[in-house]
Amino acid sequence: MMKKNKIFVACDSPNISKVKEIIKKTSHPKIKFGYKFGLEFLNSKNGRSFVSKIKNKIIFADLKIHDIPNTCVSTIKAIKDLKVNYLTIHISSGLEALKASKKVAGRTKIIGVSILTSLNGQALKEIGFNKEVKKLVLHQAQLANKAKLDAIVCSAQEVSVVKKIFKKEIITPGIRLSDNTNDQKRVLTPNQAYKNGSDWLVIGRPITKGNIKKNIQKLVNHLCK
Ligand code: C5P
């Protein structure tokens, strides 16, 4: 393990005590941690105000905005007081929405979400997308590029393809150390993801379920292999 590995921990719980525990127990000299808060926590009773008070951490609001340009812009303005470092919008919101979002984001980096890592070829067909996953992700990466977004979310399986046309940060969820993939379909291990060129990994359940300290140690052992 050469440089410090960068990992966003998905703080996926509506429960503040659990989220506090996750933040407290995820420190390690070999890893640079950021914290990702999704719809589950930001919509919980006290989640938003909790995030607004966090200091000196890299914060990622996984809002996954998917809407018309006007609503995207208003949403980004409405979350400005949180001063988050990163915020997500679905690339499928369209070029106009992406450009408008980037324009009002200020210092918050806008991440374009491509095809969800929980979808495989079969699931994509079900929702009417006929292109193969890699081609679709590549197509969306081109759009993210055109809109001058700061980062892109894709699966680690597509990083090498995306890297050819998208030169900024690449963030990859769907990271697994074991065969338990839960609901994720396009998965890779942390080492494979970094090898392919991911800048940040997003890891939730493999860290937060069970004993967090032991999970981190397992992860570090894997990274040191
Ligand atoms: O628990 P797990 O490691 O699967 O968590 C992955 C996290 O990344 C979840 O919070 C999920 O919402 C998020 N995510 C994802 N796939 C995307 C975008 C975000 O899994 N394409």
Side-chain angles (χ1 to χ4, degrees):
M1 199 163 49
M2 304 283 284
K3 63 177 195 283
K4 229 177 188 188
N5 296 285
K6 294 192 282 187
I7 294 175
F8 281 116
V9 182
C11 301
D12 290 336
S13 167
N15 183 318
I16 288 209
S17 323
K18 176 67 183 174
V19 169
K20 279 186 183 161
E21 186 203 355
I22 294 171
I23 296 174
K24 197 169 154 207
K25 293 185 176 166
T26 45
S27 68
H28 195 283
K30 290 186 170 160
I31 300 175
K32 176 176 177 173
F33 283 108
Y35 295 90
K36 184 181 89 68
F37 302 97
L39 297 173
E40 185 174 344
F41 189 64
L42 289 171
N43 285 305
S44 67
K45 196 158 185 272
N46 301 307
R48 191 191 193 283
S49 70
F50 176 83
V51 174
S52 75
K53 291 183 200 115
I54 299 176
K55 296 228 162 36
N56 304 318
K57 302 254 184 270
I58 302 170
I59 305 297
F60 172 167
D62 197 5
L63 287 183
K64 290 207 183 69
I65 305 170
H66 192 194
D67 222 309
I68 60 170
N70 184 59
T71 306
C72 294
V73 165
S74 311
T75 306
I76 293 169
K77 284 184 179 164
I79 203 180
K80 274 242 153 114
D81 60 298
L82 292 192
K83 295 189 173 69
V84 300
N85 304 91
Y86 294 83
L87 183 154
T88 48
I89 176 167
H90 277 286
I91 295 173
S92 53
S93 299
L95 187 57
E96 197 189 322
L98 300 179
K99 280 185 174 167
S101 298
K102 174 65 191 157
K103 212 168 168 184
V104 294
R107 294 168 77 165
T108 298
K109 289 186 177 180
I110 299 289
I111 309 171
V113 178
S114 66
I115 303 299
L116 295 171
T117 45
S118 56
L119 302 172
N120 57 14
Q122 171 64 29
L124 280 174
K125 272 203 192 116
E126 273 165 14
I127 53 172
F129 292 135
N130 291 322
K131 263 191 193 172
E132 175 206 328
V133 183
K134 269 207 175 95
K135 284 198 179 138
L136 212 45
V137 173
L138 187 65
H139 188 94
Q140 295 199 336
Q142 271 157 347
L143 216 58
N145 211 21
K146 220 173 186 175
K148 299 192 166 51
L149 300 192
D150 304 285
I152 190 164
V153 163
C154 60
S155 103
Q157 298 180 6
E158 294 106 36
V159 173
S160 34
V161 180
V162 167
K163 247 185 153 27
K164 285 186 193 149
I165 61 128
F166 190 83
K167 306 292 177 195
K168 296 194 232 165
E169 287 174 273
I170 302 183
I171 303 170
T172 58
I175 301 297
R176 288 295 182 271
L177 281 162
S178 69
D179 293 340
N180 183 6
T181 57
N182 311 111
D183 51 355
Q184 298 283 18
K185 295 288 185 321
R186 306 196 321 280
V187 300
L188 278 184
T189 68
N191 279 340
Q192 287 167 327
Y194 285 127
K195 193 168 163 244
N196 287 356
S198 296
D199 296 293
W200 285 90
L201 311 187
V202 174
I203 310 183
R205 288 160 288 185
I207 288 178
T208 58
K209 293 277 171 246
N211 186 316
I212 297 175
K213 287 272 175 205
K214 276 190 187 159
N215 292 340
I216 299 279
Q217 196 49 54
K218 232 190 263 173
L219 176 64
V220 171
N221 293 346
H222 163 85
L223 291 168
C224 289
K225 260 194 230 160

